[in-house]
């Protein structure tokens, strides 16, 4: 009876996943469809006669954009960690003045619409000559991840026993040494979680790229796809092939780092 | 994640855990006076403080400044805009687009979070009792949330294409005629809302699923002994105990959905004829969407959006306090 019921649920689960992921299947299907079949009626449900012309076009034209996105993503991760790690440690363990005020600011910071941030950055960058630069985009993208990083590190580091740090202090370690040699190694998992999210958000960012770097020769992949859509609306196999390639980091995360994702989504948002 | 990312939803700290951790740490510390001077803590916090001032406070200040001046492109270059006080706000509020955008924002936001929450909760309850492959299947539900928004938005655009889209082809099989999903003013807002709901389901599922883990299993057993059926168990046990988690999920959803630009801009650009223009889209279009950037009204719209999000945030903080004091 129980086994029977479980199989029934598995079958329903598979159907639900199939419905949910249909757009993803469709993206792959279209990316393999020949241009001549693109406007077939009814559309081909399965790429019986697949072509890789879309992927060839995508790689031929979008390789520089992919490299830019990779670089921007890694830069965003570095900047986010540099700012958020020490701050998380201080808020969790050093009990500085103004903790409540900083908490409040971080909460407010996450409510500011990206379009507002984009306008602010635009007016600042236009004066500093930082429009259409990689560095400018990295700074703007990091604002997506820093408040999240601080709050996650803080929640995680609060759980590290203070005795461990006290022991290091008794052995004569400075606060910095304790942070580097005791706290950081213990925080490995949370560092991975924050890095993954910072990378993914920077990689996926469209608003900052389309405002701060819109006249740039060096564009990230999101803008590459957007221009693609604008330029040749008939080449949907190339557009979808680029989209599939742009989804690789997400697929990678899902397969190799799934537990870190769940940890990030639920971090602190749920009472236990 | 939507944006939740939209898009991307950074987890805000909810009630409970972090405070609890801090509290225990605090108690431990009280027994032993702090040895480290305050400036050590300040030094560790310094990068964050500088960062918040330079990359949050200053852009925000610039944005307010934009909204109370008349920044023409020429004034932008020369740096001599005319101070106009609340004129931009008055102009924005009395613009015909304003009420349209406000109504669209309400429909888009409330429609998205209500359906995302209902479907997310149903899925969370479905996956709650482990069955074969349940963990793998649950993980697959995260996919829409991890994809870059441009990928999801362009895929949905092609699926909803009037002539060649798969959605119309499928509907045709049931005898339903061609629907111009993205190009008709009647359906464009609905279309972007559907895409946004799809994007937000994973976030709701994950948070509500985690919330379900904290409902004690013996409550269900006791209710089962008393003869409660599955429906009663859900409405009498699961739903009431999930209330705090539900409140946070809905409020986070509200704050994220208010900000959404990418998905709408890529699919419809707010059109046709403002039919899918929300406040965020309006602001984006004024500032960056046309050949002639008009930053001052755009900034005014953006600041009004912040006020709305902020009001939602105050409700959030208020609810957190109430939960903490229980």
């Amino acid at each position: 009876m129980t086994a029977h019921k479980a199989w029934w649920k598995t079958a329903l689960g598979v159907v639900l996943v199939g419905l949910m992921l249909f757009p993803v299947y469709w993206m792959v299907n279209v990316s393999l469809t020949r241009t001549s079949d693109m406007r077939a009626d009814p559309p081909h449900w399965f790429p019986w006669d697949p072509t890789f012309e879309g992927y060839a076009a995508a790689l031929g034209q979008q390789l520089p954009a992919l490299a830019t996105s990779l670089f921007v993503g890694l830069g965003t991760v570095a900047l986010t960690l540099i700012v958020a790690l020490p701050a998380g440690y201080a808020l969790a363990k050093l009990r500085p003045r103004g903790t409540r005020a900083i908490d409040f600011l971080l909460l407010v910071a996450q409510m500011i619409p990206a379009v507002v941030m984009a306008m602010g950055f635009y007016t600042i960058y236009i004066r500093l000559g930082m429009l259409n630069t990689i560095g400018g985009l990295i700074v703007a993208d990091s604002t997506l991840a820093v408040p999240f990083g601080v709050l996650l590190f803080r929640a995680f580091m609060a759980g590290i026993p203070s005795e461990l740090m006290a022991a290091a202090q008794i052995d004569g370690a400075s606060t910095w040494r304790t942070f580097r040699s005791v706290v950081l190694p213990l925080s490995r998992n949370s560092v991975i979680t924050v890095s993954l999210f910072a990378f993914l958000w920077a990689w996926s960012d469209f608003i900052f790229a389309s405002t701060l770097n819109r006249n740039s020769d060096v564009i990230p992949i999101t803008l590459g796809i957007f221009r693609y859509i604008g330029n040749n609306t008939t080449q949907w196999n190339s557009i979808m092939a680029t989209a599939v390639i742009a989804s690789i980091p997400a697929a990678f995360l899902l397969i190799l780092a799934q537990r870190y994702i769940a940890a990030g989504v639920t971090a602190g948002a749920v009472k236990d | 994640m939507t944006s939740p990312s939209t898009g991307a939803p950074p987890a805000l700290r909810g009630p409970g855990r972090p405070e609890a951790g801090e509290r225990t740490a605090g108690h431990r510390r009280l027994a032993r006076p702090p040895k480290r001077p305050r400036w050590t803590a300040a030094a560790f916090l310094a990068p964050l403080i500088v960062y918040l001032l330079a990359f949050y406070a200053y852009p925000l200040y610039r944005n307010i400044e934009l909204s109370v001046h008349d920044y023409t492109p020429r004034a932008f270059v020369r740096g001599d805009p005319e101070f106009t006080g609340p004129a931009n706000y008055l102009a924005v509020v009395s613009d015909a687009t304003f009420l349209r955008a406000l109504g669209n924002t309400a429909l888009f936001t409330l429609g998205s979070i209500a359906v995302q929450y209902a479907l997310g909760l149903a899925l969370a309850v479905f996956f709650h009792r482990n069955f074969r492959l349940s963990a793998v299947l649950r993980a697959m539900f995260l996919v829409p949330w991890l994809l870059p928004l441009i990928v999801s938005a362009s895929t949905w655009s092609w699926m909803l294409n009037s002539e060649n889209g798969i959605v119309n082809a499928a509907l045709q099989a049931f005898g339903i005629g061609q629907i111009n999903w993205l190009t008709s003013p009647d359906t464009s807002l609905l279309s972007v809302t559907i895409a946004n709901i799809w994007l937000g389901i994973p976030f709701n599922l994950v948070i509500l699923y985690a919330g379900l883990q904290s409902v004690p299993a013996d409550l269900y057993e006791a209710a089962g002994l008393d003869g409660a059926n599955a429906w009663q168990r859900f409405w009498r046990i699961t739903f009431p105990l999930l209330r705090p988690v539900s409140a946070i999920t809905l409020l986070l959803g509200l704050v994220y959905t208010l900000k959404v630009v990418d998905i709408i801009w890529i699919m419809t650009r707010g059109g046709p004829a403002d039919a899918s223009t929300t406040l965020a889209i309006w602001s984006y279009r004024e500032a960056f969407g046309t050949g002639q950037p008009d930053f001052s009204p755009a900034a005014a719209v953006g600041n009004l959006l912040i006020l709305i999000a902020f009001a939602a945030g105050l409700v959030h903080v208020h609810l957190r306090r109430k939960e903490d004091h229980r």
Side-chain angles (χ1 to χ4, degrees), chain B residues 94-227:
Chain B
S94 56
D95 192 308
T97 310
F98 180 73
L99 281 182
R100 188 85 203 257
L102 195 65
N104 285 344
T105 307
L107 282 175
F108 177 74
T109 308
L110 298 179
S112 291
I113 61 173
V115 180
Q116 281 168 4
Y117 172 77
L119 293 178
L121 182 58
L123 287 165
V125 170
F126 174 70
F127 281 111
H128 182 42
R129 292 301 166 78
N130 283 341
F131 50 89
R132 224 174 274 257
L133 291 179
S134 65
V136 178
L137 293 173
R138 195 159 43 82
M140 307 270 275
F141 265 88
L142 288 174
V143 169
W145 184 64
L146 295 174
L147 293 179
L149 276 173
I150 180 105
V151 167
S152 318
S154 44
T155 305
W156 275 98
S157 291
W158 185 241
M159 284 173 50
L160 292 172
N161 184 287
S162 296
E163 286 88 30
N164 308 108
I166 185 67
V167 174
N168 273 351
L171 289 177
Q172 212 170 24
F174 293 100
I176 299 170
Q178 178 177 319
I179 299 174
N180 296 317
W181 291 101
L182 299 174
T183 48
S184 155
D186 299 326
T187 50
S188 66
L189 186 64
L190 177 68
S191 303
V192 294
T193 310
I194 291 172
N196 191 57
I197 288 168
W198 181 77
L199 287 168
I201 288 174
F203 177 71
N204 284 263
L205 166 62
V206 171
I207 293 206
L208 292 168
Y209 179 84
L212 281 182
Q213 306 300 313
S214 63
V215 176
D218 44 348
L219 275 181
Y220 290 112
E221 279 163 30
L225 288 177
D226 289 345

Side-chain angles (χ1 to χ4, degrees), chain A residues 46-268:
Chain A
F46 190 82
W48 296 111
D49 183 20
T51 174
F52 289 93
E53 61 189 56
Y55 285 89
L59 285 177
Q61 294 163 40
Q62 302 291 349
L63 216 50
L66 287 166
T68 306
S69 280
L70 186 68
F71 188 76
V72 170
L74 294 177
T76 304
V77 169
L79 182 55
T80 303
L81 291 182
I82 288 171
V83 175
L85 270 172
Y89 174 56
L91 289 171
K93 292 293 179 191
L94 302 181
R95 303 213 307 146
R97 278 176 214 278
T99 305
R100 270 178 170 273
I102 289 174
D103 269 358
F104 181 72
L105 285 179
L106 290 173
L107 205 68
V108 172
Q110 296 188 70
M111 289 175 187
I112 304 171
V115 60
V116 171
M117 295 294 285
M119 277 185 275
F121 275 118
Y122 190 92
T123 59
I124 295 167
Y125 284 3
I126 203 170
R127 282 196 192 161
L128 299 177
M130 277 175 75
L131 280 181
N132 305 316
T133 61
I134 300 270
L137 192 56
I138 289 176
V139 167
D141 280 349
S142 73
T143 60
L144 300 169
V146 164
F148 165 77
V150 173
L151 293 175
L152 191 109
F153 285 139
R154 179 203 163 142
F156 185 88
M157 289 172 180
I160 298 177
S162 293
E163 285 79 4
L164 281 176
M165 281 161 236
Q169 305 260 302
I170 289 166
D171 290 345
S174 65
T175 311
W176 171 249
R177 185 73 206 275
T178 312
F179 173 64
R180 220 190 57 201
S181 311
V182 179
V183 177
L184 279 190
L186 286 173
S187 306
R188 215 195 90 216
N189 282 0
S190 59
V191 170
I192 294 176
T193 302
V194 170
S195 303
L196 290 176
F197 276 93
F199 183 85
L200 198 62
W201 288 332
W203 176 275
S204 308
D205 161 69
F206 171 76
I207 295 188
F208 288 131
S210 71
T211 53
L212 304 176
N213 283 42
R214 59 190 181 150
N215 298 319
S216 174
D217 299 329
V218 196
I219 56 166
I221 188 66
T222 49
L223 213 48
I225 297 177
F226 189 65
R227 287 188 183 174
Y228 227 145
I229 300 175
N231 287 346
N232 47 355
T233 41
T234 54
Q235 300 290 320
W236 275 90
N237 49 8
S238 308
I239 295 172
M240 289 294 112
T242 317
V244 171
I245 296 168
S247 309
I248 290 173
F252 174 82
L253 289 191
L254 193 73
I255 294 163
L256 292 178
Q258 194 205 324
R259 64 196 176 105
Y260 299 110
I261 299 171
V265 185
T266 47

Side-chain angles (χ1 to χ4, degrees), chain B residues 280-301:
Chain B
I281 284 288
W282 191 22
S283 176
Y284 183 89
R285 190 179 57 203
E286 291 289 315
F288 304 107
T290 61
Q292 289 165 324
D294 211 351
F295 278 92
S296 293
V301 175

